[in-house]
Amino acid sequence: MTNNGWFQILFFLLVVLALTKPLGSFMTRVFNREKTFLDPLMRPIEKLVYRLTGVDETKEMRWTEYAGAMLMFSVVTMVVLYLLQRLQNHLPLNPQKLAAVAPDLAFNTAASFTTNTNWQAYVPETTMSYLTQMAGLAYHNFVSAAVGIALAIAIVRGIARREQDTLGNFWVDMTRATFWVLLPACVLGAMLLVWQGVPQNFKPYDTAQLVDPQSVQTTDANGKVTTQIVKEQTIAQGPVASQEMIKELGTNGGGFFNTNSAHPFENPTPLTNFFELLLIFAIGSALTYTLGQMTGSPRHGWAVWCAMAILFLVGITAAYSAEASGNPLVQNSASHVQPVGNMEGKEVRFGIADSALWAVVTTDTSCGAVNSMHDSFTPLGGMIPLINMLLGEVVFGGVGAGLYGVIVFIILSVFIAGLMVGRTPEYLGKKIEAFDVKMAMLTVLIYPLMVLTFTAVSVVSPKLGLSSLANAGPHGLSEIFYAYAEAGANNGSAFAGLNANTLWYNSTIGATMLFGRFFMVIPVLAIAGSLVRKKHVPETSGTFPVTTPLFTGLLISVIVIVGALTFFPALSLGPILEHLLMNAGKTF
């Protein structure tokens, strides 16, 4: 570890902190329907959208109506994306004449982008046409992020309102999230990326003649080795900047290129690297301030922010330390010294500090974009991104998803605090009762049920789960475990080393993504529907305060303990065992 590396990490967190209040306050005004500087431009467009779609912006919805509208919208847009992929060979903006996407892969991708996961079991530049990238994938980057923000705002209203039945209007919240929050930032940010060298065009791919032709050997399924002389390189391009911007701001993560944000056309300079990192954290961090402001308790919002920041600092310290220490087997070799740490799988222009920082940031949220390959991290360095997802991605989290995820843990924290003092737990003036705790526990249990079940089936099924695995032993387990962990957490990053473009993985990972999004948010909406009907309970000397360092510490403890109790056995068989064996001289 270096002083420069730590300076970059701490400076990044300070800038995130500086953005939290102004952006959070702006979102409060947007969703409270207060006047903002964008109203003269966006309000006429908003009214036109409602007129064309028949939405009554004055009508509010109960939690069941809100959930129904969200599910209906998600199903329809998922079907449209599936059809767009299946028919892309007959549609325009396909200069490379790319074929239709296979049915199982099209289902997986449609589920992925609808749920804000953006897992990519394919090579984007050789699979998806420009039309599919823009009208399908980039569109879902906007609306899936807007849906997440809308859900978070609805849940905050459930906490803030008293003795009411409604949580707002899903169509209005989603529209305002798109037009006021996501779209303006993406227009300006995309221009900054273009200025830094990110392409934005509709040109066919270019071909460059290699100065030094390369000899490449390939082995087919029958073991026949073929040697080919490669004399030219195809350079992919296209409408990259527009997708890159919303990919990071909306914590989507699905890149235009297979190497994602490690590709120089997606992330060409140190400035774009820092800018894109800020985008990933910006909305998730700001929503904590929105929570405090809308509920009338700004100190509570900051207490939640502090819990997230502490977990982030612990994670980045562990990941950076592991990667800076490097591989002991390489360091102990007389002919191969690793003085700068583990640089395998990392871009030289970013180095270890920025690579570790990106890995932690992208898995603290539901982003999943990568600027280095997590499969090449040391066992403990790669374990930190995995743990971030297993904890529910509540460290700032995805747009909206992080906030409503942490609210579940807040419910459990105040419930535990209530048990300690022997009284009914309260949260910001609302009594937390049996129904609320049951829904919170249902949300907590759905994720490990999906992840651990599919992982277990995959690792004992040679034909289904192991046939496309590149590594054996604990590292191979980590690759499969990571794939389902990111799917259930709607993250989308890949540990790599696993060819997930098979019928089994496309189907089961697709199902895990759908469950991870919709079967987890519905119980949280039910909690909001329960809280919004409750009376306000005056605070007394026995009320557990949710604005203090004690609350922050309890919240962190609950998050860590729940994650540790659930997943520690699997982590022990994966990255922890691999670390011990690596130090004993064995690799996989």
Side-chain angles (χ1 to χ4, degrees):
M1 295 188 286
T2 65
N3 292 333
N4 179 59
W6 274 114
F7 172 78
Q8 293 181 65
I9 291 167
L10 295 176
F11 180 72
F12 164 75
L13 185 59
L14 288 174
V15 176
V16 170
L17 174 61
L19 290 174
T20 298
K21 182 176 179 178
L23 181 54
S25 181
F26 173 74
M27 287 194 289
T28 300
R29 294 195 301 273
V30 168
F31 294 107
N32 281 342
R33 310 296 294 273
E34 299 170 9
K35 187 175 181 179
T36 72
F37 69 95
L38 287 174
D39 284 13
L41 175 63
M42 294 303 178
R43 186 68 180 134
I45 301 174
E46 182 188 28
K47 289 181 178 179
L48 177 61
V49 169
Y50 297 152
R51 191 176 300 116
L52 293 175
T53 56
V55 171
D56 181 0
E57 62 177 311
T58 63
K59 180 184 177 182
E60 293 210 344
M61 300 175 174
R62 297 186 298 274
W63 81 264
T64 51
E65 296 175 295
Y66 205 101
M70 179 269 297
L71 290 173
M72 179 176 65
F73 175 79
S74 300
V75 168
V76 171
T77 54
M78 179 176 169
V79 170
V80 171
L81 178 55
Y82 176 83
L83 294 175
L84 185 60
Q85 295 174 82
R86 297 288 293 134
L87 298 173
Q88 73 173 11
N89 56 319
H90 301 295
L91 298 173
L93 287 179
N94 186 8
Q96 301 306 121
K97 308 299 181 185
L98 298 176
V101 180
D104 59 315
L105 179 59
F107 161 74
N108 181 279
T109 305
S112 176
F113 280 79
T114 301
T115 58
N116 199 244
T117 308
N118 296 55
W119 163 265
Q120 294 173 296
Y122 58 90
V123 178
E125 59 265 44
T126 61
T127 307
M128 301 296 179
S129 70
Y130 289 168
L131 181 67
T132 304
Q133 292 267 26
M134 295 181 67
L137 307 186
Y139 166 78
H140 273 76
N141 284 351
F142 276 97
V143 295
S144 66
V147 168
I149 296 173
L151 291 170
I153 295 299
I155 292 160
V156 172
R157 289 197 190 107
I159 300 168
R161 292 179 176 181
R162 307 172 187 174
E163 299 181 70
Q164 297 185 33
D165 289 324
T166 59
L167 300 175
N169 185 307
F170 169 76
W171 307 111
V172 173
D173 290 340
M174 187 186 68
T175 302
R176 294 184 75 83
T178 303
F179 288 161
W180 268 261
V181 180
L182 298 173
L183 192 58
C186 287
V187 170
L188 296 176
M191 290 191 287
L192 184 149
L193 293 178
V194 171
W195 166 53
Q196 286 292 295
V198 178
Q200 181 70 21
N201 58 51
F202 294 114
K203 295 180 180 179
Y205 296 172
D206 288 327
T207 300
Q209 299 298 317
L210 297 182
V211 175
D212 183 16
Q214 300 294 309
S215 176
V216 179
Q217 287 189 337
T218 58
T219 305
D220 62 20
N222 298 320
K224 181 180 179 181
V225 178
T226 303
T227 302
Q228 181 181 7
I229 304 299
V230 179
K231 298 181 178 180
E232 60 184 27
Q233 178 184 0
T234 300
I235 302 175
Q237 54 190 312
V240 183
S242 56
Q243 183 165 323
E244 187 70 17
M245 182 64 198
I246 185 57
K247 153 194 156 183
E248 312 295 11
L249 182 66
T251 61
N252 298 281
F256 195 95
F257 300 101
N258 190 42
T259 52
N260 208 276
S261 293
H263 197 291
F265 280 179
E266 287 198 26
N267 188 10
T269 68
L271 176 60
T272 61
N273 191 71
F274 184 78
F275 178 59
E276 290 174 20
L277 280 170
L278 283 178
L279 294 175
I280 297 172
F281 260 13
I283 294 177
S285 177
L287 279 170
T288 62
Y289 189 82
T290 302
L291 167 67
Q293 204 168 34
M294 290 183 72
T295 58
S297 181
R299 290 180 60 193
H300 173 59
W302 285 119
V304 174
W305 190 93
C306 288
M308 295 177 171
I310 291 170
L311 287 170
F312 162 73
L313 288 172
V314 171
I316 185 57
T317 300
Y320 186 22
S321 175
E323 293 308 296
S325 298
N327 188 324
L329 300 182
V330 175
Q331 287 182 319
N332 294 336
S333 170
S335 58
H336 297 89
V337 181
Q338 203 171 21
V340 296
N342 177 34
M343 280 297 295
E344 180 187 352
K346 299 177 179 64
E347 283 290 302
V348 175
R349 68 183 191 276
F350 300 138
I352 290 176
D354 281 342
S355 298
L357 176 61
W358 191 295
V360 171
V361 168
T362 198
T363 51
D364 277 340
T365 66
S366 64
C367 183
V370 296
N371 76 346
S372 59
M373 298 300 106
H374 298 176
D375 188 49
S376 296
F377 278 34
T378 62
L380 295 185
M383 182 178 69
I384 299 304
L386 179 56
I387 289 177
N388 287 340
M389 296 184 294
L390 297 177
L391 293 180
E393 290 183 324
V394 294
V395 186
F396 298 109
V399 285
L403 184 64
Y404 59 70
V406 82
I407 286 173
V408 169
F409 284 105
I410 291 173
I411 299 283
L412 296 178
S413 298
V414 298
F415 173 70
I416 292 172
L419 291 178
M420 290 177 178
V421 297
R423 59 171 287 159
T424 303
E426 300 168 13
Y427 175 44
L428 294 176
K430 303 286 184 73
K431 286 189 178 296
I432 302 302
E433 298 172 312
F435 176 82
D436 309 312
V437 177
K438 289 177 182 177
M439 291 297 102
M441 285 307 303
L442 179 61
T443 304
V444 169
L445 292 173
I446 288 172
Y447 177 61
L449 177 65
M450 296 292 296
V451 172
L452 295 176
T453 299
F454 280 131
T455 299
V457 173
S458 297
V459 297
V460 297
S461 304
K463 292 184 178 180
L464 295 178
L466 301 180
S467 59
S468 58
L469 190 64
N471 297 87
H475 194 81
L477 172 61
S478 296
E479 291 171 348
I480 295 175
F481 188 24
Y482 194 105
Y484 287 108
E486 62 76 24
N490 297 141
N491 181 270
S493 64
F495 208 63
L498 171 69
N499 174 21
N501 190 11
T502 67
L503 180 60
W504 166 253
Y505 282 116
N506 279 332
S507 303
T508 56
I509 289 177
T512 304
M513 290 186 286
L514 293 172
F515 271 81
R517 175 76 160 192
F518 301 115
F519 280 72
M520 291 177 69
V521 75
I522 291 175
V524 184
L525 280 173
I527 294 173
S530 171
L531 293 177
V532 76
R533 293 190 296 268
K534 295 182 179 182
K535 297 179 181 179
H536 182 264
V537 180
E539 185 175 319
T540 67
S541 58
T543 301
F544 178 67
V546 293
T547 59
T548 62
L550 178 62
F551 164 75
T552 298
L554 179 61
L555 177 58
I556 293 172
S557 300
V558 171
I559 292 171
V560 172
I561 290 172
V562 169
L565 290 176
T566 306
F567 296 108
F568 183 75
L571 292 171
S572 297
L573 295 172
I576 295 176
L577 177 58
E578 184 185 1
H579 172 75
L580 296 174
L581 292 174
M582 180 184 71
N583 282 278
K586 185 174 178 57
T587 59
F588 299 91

